[in-house]
Amino acid sequence: MLDRSKTRPLRLIVNNQPHAVTADPFTPLSEVLRDHLGLTGTKIGCEAGDCGACTVLVDGVQACSCLIPVAQAEDVPVLTIEGEDGDGLIRRLKEAFLAHGAAQCGICTPGMIMAAADCLMKDPQAGRAAIEDALGGVLCRCTGYVKIVEAILDVARGGGLPVQDPEGAFGARIARVDGRPKVEGIDLFGADSAPGDALYLRILRSPHASARFTLGDCRPVLDRVPGLVAILTAKDVPGENSFGIFPTIKDQPVLADGFVRFRGEAVLALAGTREAVEAVRDADLPIEWHPEEAVIGVGMGLAPGAPVLHAKVPDNVLTRGYLECGDVEAGHAAAAVTAEGAFETAFVEHAYIEPEAGFAVRLGDRIEISACTQAPVMDQEEVARVLGIPKAAVRIRPTACGGGFGGKLDVSVQPLLAVAAWQLGRPVRIIYTRPESMASTTKRHPASIRARASADAEGHLLAYEMTGDFNTGAYASWGPTVANRVPIHATGPYKVPHVRNRTRAVYTNETPAGAFRGFGVPQAAIANETLLDDLALQLGLSRWAIRRRNALGHGDRTPSGQVLHASAGLPECLDAVEDAFRTFEAEAEAFNAGATRFRRGAGVACMWYGCGNTSMSNPSTMRIALLPDGRLVFFNGAVDIGQGSTTVLLQIAAEALGLPPAAFESVIGDTDLTEDAGKTSASRQTFVSGNAARLAGLDLRRAILALGNAGPEARLALEGATLLIRDGEASRRVDLAALPRDDEGFVLVGRGTYDPPTTGLDARGQGVPYATYGFAAQVAEVEVDMLLGTVKVRRIVAAHDVGRAVNPTLTEGQIHGGIAQGLGLALMEEFIPGRTENLHDYLIPTVGDMPEITIHLIEDPEPEGPFGAKGVGEPALVATAPAILSAIRHATGARICRVPVLPHRLFEALQAKGARS
Amino acid sequence: MRYDRPTDLAEALAIRAERRVILMAGGTDIYPAFAQRKAWGDASRADILDLSALPGLDAITEDEAGWRIGSMVTWAALADAPLPLLFDGLKEASRHVGGQQVQNRGTLAGNLCTASPAGDGIPNLMALDAGVELSSQAGRRLLPVADFLTGYRQIALRPDEIVTALVVPKGPPARAAFVKLGARHSLVISIAMVAAIVELDAQDRIAAARIAIGACSPVALRLPGLEAALAGERLATAPRRVEAAHLAHLVPISDVRASAEYRREVALHLVRDALARIHQETARRAA
Ligand SMILES: Cc1cc2nc3c(=O)[nH]c(=O)nc-3n(CC(O)[C@H](O)[C@H](O)COP(=O)(O)OP(=O)(O)OC[C@H]3O[C@@H](n4cnc5c(N)ncnc54)[C@H](O)[C@@H]3O)c2cc1C
Ligand code: FES
Ligand code: FES
């Protein structure tokens, strides 16, 4: 129970300043830095030494501050991201990180910089190997570490920073406009701020995958524990006790009501002081559990007589997706060769380094929620429903988001915070622990895919058919989206006349599966790319050639019947990687000729990805306002989850308006101030919101030119409250303060709305589901230890058709990060509920796992896109895993049908192959 | 809840004798375990006795009999210490336990006391024939590592005792290697690992070998059959002498990291690799 006697005064020396704090000596240093000293630049991603986000220098060397009892830090110098070293090294690292685009979401950045500082303090000229060694304990989920290492190498070489284009509009490599606070460690993420009087919320979660429960009287616990204010149950939810992505499928309760459907489901919410909510042990609460048989895996979910998760869905099949064109039987019948296979993928965890966190404040009849999110307007709708209040009474103020990748599209903390703050009338905050985040939030769907592909003697694809079952876990989340997106993409980016693709999303008693970079397409790509290699092998064709022969290009028709009139650069992507593929292949064969234990291989894979929601309206609206004092404000409702939309959309708006990005300030994501830009998902912000930003810029420009009576070529400049309009020889100065103001106090406003042109799909899945597609081809080189079954990815060459790169530095960063996640998907990532619920057992790539990466940006402009641009967020990931599998097969002959290819799985595959031959 | 951080061993032993406490060294095992419990609704903790302020425990000393590695010696300190080739395996392990943050704080003694089957220090200590120095108010005793480790996460530490040092006896000059297998590059718990030490005669023949494998049984195991078979073998050909039969007493399990079958099979290769590494390193030094 609560025991104040355990605290004691302690003397700390942080950033060369003495501090006196009173704390339990057991408190981790990280907590004291953040909560007692307000130094929130030190981040917490796991409290277990696994992520390195909390890295600081203790007595001059790097250490995880989450593993150090503050007692051990007494009288020892501690240096954090907020501090300075005598040589200005930390400052140089910050500038280099900013200039190189080494910070994406920025949650890992302080830890990275401190680890790098340790390295360069020991050896100011450290090389790549020493740097990688020093960073080995800090995880980054966004960057693939490439630009981080480049930035540090730059400092080690004492080199100048990359030159920045001062105008910096479309196409320029400008530094992220929100990057400065990230590298300084002062960006505020979900856990970094809250009102001083906020109560803490702690959630009691189900330890069972399926169980009924009865709740006794919580009053005695409340009476016994000082500082414990409330224990909230399902009965305390004032509105609907349910949420979910689809208006018709709100199937997940905020707090479970009598039964739970997965391990990690929220049951009770304890509110009080932090000490109080932590002093109550789950075992002290009056819950009686009655575990029931749990449905594990789609096979069990689909079996006749399986327990039913949701009464409305007696067969556990949440959704079916379907696409058909041509006559698939006839296609197979006419073929020279056919290949088929069955493929399995695992649950994959987003592993953003920032666990969900935020706070809520009730203001009379309104509620304000500040939390990390990818979808503020959806949060607003969910919260309104859960509280039973109008949407306008809910304000979402997104904090900085420490990575999302789809996992922060669904609400997590928002409804819980809302209910507590609403009912208690006091500010409430919550910070998920890492195991809590992993156990309770969505995952990538595990897929079981059977597929069959046929080609003629020249290797032209004739027919493709697949059935895919996707494990959607206990609640619907984005299951329908996956089931609908996959059939459209499942053939891969190829011309195939006869296609039939069928999918099902199946309920199980496992962690809900939702959105994760690619919405099921990465899983499907593993199947189609493997079958393409099979066909090439059977026909004696090169794996590259069969792809080039079938690649979708300009004027080609997709399986959904859509004709690609423009921006279909896959042939160019393949051409860009051809030399690399041939070189890797030849080098591998030469290497293998003399080798026994280690064998090398080359692989190639392609991908495509429709930008925006599937066959659904998904509009975005942007506004730009000029204020009387000359401030130019970009009201941008798109949240930046690290991918760079705050910068990219500004560059587009600036290009359209004709003023440099530096002239703007941005208001991001606040639902009271910005309009709905839609979700940061589906690789849609550059394309959809980019168009809205362009239209807003053009709209404001039109208003300005009309005011100045100027022609379309006029050049604009802002000087204080004066707007300069130069048109050839003529020039006009407009005193903004003298102009009339609208209700909001603006003198001029530009507004733009864009909704991509798509059509619905008919019963056979025919139509125009997306306005545009991203394409890519990637080539991988691996080295396999034939005895141990381990794989080292040595090199990846990636060619991506991005339409046009708004900011090549950010585009490359997306591709690097996507490759890292694709590598993880292929080789190491497997979430198993109850078993890999931390970053110790769930492995994501570390810096040393990354291959050398070469990127070719292919720019086949999309006429529909803003200045030709389209999305790259998800495309970056899709081709990597199949390219690695293709390379493993080239190296070893083992055809892998299950990811991740953990060493023991490859070992078994090699043994099975050995036994056969 | 008490938290004591004495600056005097006698005081520490008195506290130890008086109360049930958790001993805290670098904290790198204690905090992750605490975080996991807290996440599932139990943030309670026991009284703590912090050993980090005790004088002298962070020293490595040498006398005629051998080396004494104080129980607060960290992985990083081991990696940097001027120690003979006998310690090359332990040093290699020291550079691959977690990341540098963990190496800077975590201790070899803590690793031993956690007694995880996957503890990278343990096979090295076994191959070094190390002893564990246990101190209490009653005095000191020395236990061989193999006797100190009594089972899966079980040690023969009495409630009144503290590990004050690891003691490595001196023998003829020897060479050592450590190989670790994990599913990613850094910051990874071993699927299996091998520590090997060989003493060589003037003709580069193996006079004595000590080899231990971790993560293939509840407690790491020595390979006495192989050790005997290697006596008199040339270092260059030693890897070829390793046979499956030498590993028959391993009892690997299947877990999220690997299957039991796989562990058993690759253990053989890892032993060969460890011997081959010693050979390469010896050849490199000779060149
Ligand atoms: C991210 C991360 C990665 C890791 N990777 C690896 C790895 O690759 N390989 C590996 O082997 N380990 C790994 N570990 C575990 C690890 O760091 C250790 O086992 C470490 O060496 C423990 O030492 P410590 O000083 O931190 O022990 P502590 O956490 O302080 O203590 C560990 C246990 O030993 C007891 N203890 C400590 N000192 C004494 C003493 N003198 N006398 C009696 N009992 C004592 C404690 O009571 C406790 O039960 C990793 C840990 C983390 C956090
Ligand atoms: S928070 Fe300390 S390592 Fe993750
Ligand atoms: S930038 Fe590294 S985790 Fe996001």
Side-chain angles (χ1 to χ4, degrees), chain A residues 37-59:
Chain A
L37 304 183
L39 298 173
T40 53
T42 298
K43 304 302 177 190
I44 294 184
C46 70
E47 301 175 278
D50 297 319
C51 74
C54 65
T55 299
V56 299
L57 301 191
V58 177
D59 218 357

mmCIF file of all heavy atoms in Angstrom, chain A residues 37-59:
data_model
loop_
_atom_site.group_PDB
_atom_site.id
_atom_site.type_symbol
_atom_site.label_atom_id
_atom_site.label_comp_id
_atom_site.label_asym_id
_atom_site.label_seq_id
_atom_site.Cartn_x
_atom_site.Cartn_y
_atom_site.Cartn_z
ATOM 1 N N LEU A 37 12.077 16.848 -12.686
ATOM 2 C CA LEU A 37 12.871 17.950 -13.236
ATOM 3 C C LEU A 37 12.271 18.519 -14.524
ATOM 4 O O LEU A 37 12.798 19.485 -15.072
ATOM 5 C CB LEU A 37 14.311 17.484 -13.489
ATOM 6 C CG LEU A 37 15.040 16.895 -12.262
ATOM 7 C CD1 LEU A 37 16.471 16.533 -12.608
ATOM 8 C CD2 LEU A 37 15.013 17.871 -11.089
ATOM 9 N N GLY A 38 11.207 17.901 -15.012
ATOM 10 C CA GLY A 38 10.559 18.424 -16.222
ATOM 11 C C GLY A 38 11.396 18.250 -17.476
ATOM 12 O O GLY A 38 11.145 18.905 -18.489
ATOM 13 N N LEU A 39 12.394 17.376 -17.431
ATOM 14 C CA LEU A 39 13.247 17.165 -18.608
ATOM 15 C C LEU A 39 12.645 16.046 -19.455
ATOM 16 O O LEU A 39 13.119 14.911 -19.454
ATOM 17 C CB LEU A 39 14.672 16.835 -18.163
ATOM 18 C CG LEU A 39 15.362 17.953 -17.365
ATOM 19 C CD1 LEU A 39 16.706 17.486 -16.825
ATOM 20 C CD2 LEU A 39 15.543 19.194 -18.245
ATOM 21 N N THR A 40 11.581 16.392 -20.191
ATOM 22 C CA THR A 40 10.851 15.351 -20.929
ATOM 23 C C THR A 40 11.512 15.016 -22.256
ATOM 24 O O THR A 40 10.962 14.237 -23.028
ATOM 25 C CB THR A 40 9.393 15.766 -21.152
ATOM 26 O OG1 THR A 40 9.402 17.065 -21.762
ATOM 27 C CG2 THR A 40 8.625 15.839 -19.849
ATOM 28 N N GLY A 41 12.679 15.596 -22.518
ATOM 29 C CA GLY A 41 13.422 15.189 -23.721
ATOM 30 C C GLY A 41 13.876 13.747 -23.630
ATOM 31 O O GLY A 41 14.076 13.078 -24.644
ATOM 32 N N THR A 42 14.043 13.248 -22.428
ATOM 33 C CA THR A 42 14.357 11.832 -22.236
ATOM 34 C C THR A 42 13.054 11.063 -22.364
ATOM 35 O O THR A 42 12.128 11.278 -21.583
ATOM 36 C CB THR A 42 15.000 11.618 -20.848
ATOM 37 O OG1 THR A 42 16.227 12.354 -20.820
ATOM 38 C CG2 THR A 42 15.271 10.153 -20.593
ATOM 39 N N LYS A 43 12.968 10.191 -23.359
ATOM 40 C CA LYS A 43 11.700 9.520 -23.677
ATOM 41 C C LYS A 43 11.628 8.150 -23.024
ATOM 42 O O LYS A 43 12.662 7.535 -22.728
ATOM 43 C CB LYS A 43 11.555 9.369 -25.187
ATOM 44 C CG LYS A 43 11.658 10.688 -25.952
ATOM 45 C CD LYS A 43 10.606 11.677 -25.487
ATOM 46 C CE LYS A 43 10.738 13.021 -26.191
ATOM 47 N NZ LYS A 43 9.868 14.047 -25.577
ATOM 48 N N ILE A 44 10.408 7.671 -22.859
ATOM 49 C CA ILE A 44 10.226 6.331 -22.297
ATOM 50 C C ILE A 44 9.427 5.495 -23.288
ATOM 51 O O ILE A 44 8.289 5.825 -23.614
ATOM 52 C CB ILE A 44 9.513 6.405 -20.937
ATOM 53 C CG1 ILE A 44 10.425 7.119 -19.938
ATOM 54 C CG2 ILE A 44 9.162 5.000 -20.448
ATOM 55 C CD1 ILE A 44 9.900 7.177 -18.536
ATOM 56 N N GLY A 45 10.052 4.445 -23.770
ATOM 57 C CA GLY A 45 9.376 3.587 -24.737
ATOM 58 C C GLY A 45 9.096 2.202 -24.215
ATOM 59 O O GLY A 45 8.343 1.440 -24.815
ATOM 60 N N CYS A 46 9.724 1.821 -23.081
ATOM 61 C CA CYS A 46 9.532 0.434 -22.639
ATOM 62 C C CYS A 46 9.790 0.218 -21.155
ATOM 63 O O CYS A 46 9.352 -0.787 -20.616
ATOM 64 C CB CYS A 46 10.425 -0.504 -23.446
ATOM 65 S SG CYS A 46 12.175 -0.329 -23.064
ATOM 66 N N GLU A 47 10.542 1.085 -20.517
ATOM 67 C CA GLU A 47 10.923 0.922 -19.106
ATOM 68 C C GLU A 47 11.652 -0.390 -18.854
ATOM 69 O O GLU A 47 11.627 -0.919 -17.746
ATOM 70 C CB GLU A 47 9.692 0.969 -18.180
ATOM 71 C CG GLU A 47 8.896 2.237 -18.264
ATOM 72 C CD GLU A 47 7.631 2.157 -17.424
ATOM 73 O OE1 GLU A 47 6.633 1.584 -17.898
ATOM 74 O OE2 GLU A 47 7.659 2.659 -16.293
ATOM 75 N N ALA A 48 12.275 -0.930 -19.878
ATOM 76 C CA ALA A 48 12.884 -2.252 -19.706
ATOM 77 C C ALA A 48 14.221 -2.398 -20.413
ATOM 78 O O ALA A 48 14.697 -3.508 -20.601
ATOM 79 C CB ALA A 48 11.910 -3.322 -20.201
ATOM 80 N N GLY A 49 14.804 -1.300 -20.831
ATOM 81 C CA GLY A 49 16.125 -1.390 -21.454
ATOM 82 C C GLY A 49 16.115 -1.807 -22.908
ATOM 83 O O GLY A 49 17.172 -1.908 -23.525
ATOM 84 N N ASP A 50 14.934 -2.046 -23.465
ATOM 85 C CA ASP A 50 14.876 -2.638 -24.789
ATOM 86 C C ASP A 50 14.894 -1.638 -25.941
ATOM 87 O O ASP A 50 15.214 -2.011 -27.060
ATOM 88 C CB ASP A 50 13.607 -3.488 -24.925
ATOM 89 C CG ASP A 50 13.610 -4.649 -23.955
ATOM 90 O OD1 ASP A 50 14.686 -5.261 -23.798
ATOM 91 O OD2 ASP A 50 12.552 -4.943 -23.364
ATOM 92 N N CYS A 51 14.481 -0.387 -25.695
ATOM 93 C CA CYS A 51 14.333 0.535 -26.832
ATOM 94 C C CYS A 51 15.393 1.625 -26.857
ATOM 95 O O CYS A 51 15.652 2.207 -27.900
ATOM 96 C CB CYS A 51 12.945 1.161 -26.833
ATOM 97 S SG CYS A 51 12.700 2.419 -25.553
ATOM 98 N N GLY A 52 15.985 1.938 -25.727
ATOM 99 C CA GLY A 52 17.028 2.955 -25.712
ATOM 100 C C GLY A 52 16.534 4.387 -25.843
ATOM 101 O O GLY A 52 17.338 5.315 -25.882
ATOM 102 N N ALA A 53 15.223 4.605 -25.875
ATOM 103 C CA ALA A 53 14.708 5.973 -26.005
ATOM 104 C C ALA A 53 15.094 6.835 -24.813
ATOM 105 O O ALA A 53 15.136 8.056 -24.902
ATOM 106 C CB ALA A 53 13.190 5.943 -26.160
ATOM 107 N N CYS A 54 15.365 6.189 -23.691
ATOM 108 C CA CYS A 54 15.667 6.907 -22.451
ATOM 109 C C CYS A 54 17.159 7.097 -22.250
ATOM 110 O O CYS A 54 17.595 7.428 -21.152
ATOM 111 C CB CYS A 54 15.113 6.099 -21.282
ATOM 112 S SG CYS A 54 15.956 4.511 -21.137
ATOM 113 N N THR A 55 17.944 6.862 -23.312
ATOM 114 C CA THR A 55 19.400 6.919 -23.166
ATOM 115 C C THR A 55 19.890 8.311 -22.767
ATOM 116 O O THR A 55 19.534 9.304 -23.404
ATOM 117 C CB THR A 55 20.073 6.480 -24.485
ATOM 118 O OG1 THR A 55 19.689 5.142 -24.758
ATOM 119 C CG2 THR A 55 21.598 6.567 -24.387
ATOM 120 N N VAL A 56 20.678 8.361 -21.715
ATOM 121 C CA VAL A 56 21.335 9.599 -21.278
ATOM 122 C C VAL A 56 22.796 9.222 -20.982
ATOM 123 O O VAL A 56 23.160 8.048 -21.015
ATOM 124 C CB VAL A 56 20.674 10.183 -20.003
ATOM 125 C CG1 VAL A 56 19.215 10.539 -20.265
ATOM 126 C CG2 VAL A 56 20.773 9.202 -18.824
ATOM 127 N N LEU A 57 23.621 10.214 -20.732
ATOM 128 C CA LEU A 57 24.984 9.907 -20.327
ATOM 129 C C LEU A 57 25.059 9.973 -18.804
ATOM 130 O O LEU A 57 24.657 10.967 -18.199
ATOM 131 C CB LEU A 57 25.984 10.889 -20.933
ATOM 132 C CG LEU A 57 26.020 10.975 -22.467
ATOM 133 C CD1 LEU A 57 27.243 11.777 -22.924
ATOM 134 C CD2 LEU A 57 26.038 9.596 -23.106
ATOM 135 N N VAL A 58 25.518 8.897 -18.205
ATOM 136 C CA VAL A 58 25.696 8.857 -16.757
ATOM 137 C C VAL A 58 27.190 8.685 -16.530
ATOM 138 O O VAL A 58 27.774 7.725 -17.025
ATOM 139 C CB VAL A 58 24.895 7.696 -16.136
ATOM 140 C CG1 VAL A 58 25.146 7.622 -14.633
ATOM 141 C CG2 VAL A 58 23.413 7.864 -16.415
ATOM 142 N N ASP A 59 27.766 9.629 -15.834
ATOM 143 C CA ASP A 59 29.205 9.616 -15.634
ATOM 144 C C ASP A 59 29.939 9.513 -16.972
ATOM 145 O O ASP A 59 30.932 8.804 -17.102
ATOM 146 C CB ASP A 59 29.590 8.429 -14.728
ATOM 147 C CG ASP A 59 30.709 8.832 -13.774
ATOM 148 O OD1 ASP A 59 31.188 9.979 -13.880
ATOM 149 O OD2 ASP A 59 31.101 7.987 -12.937
#
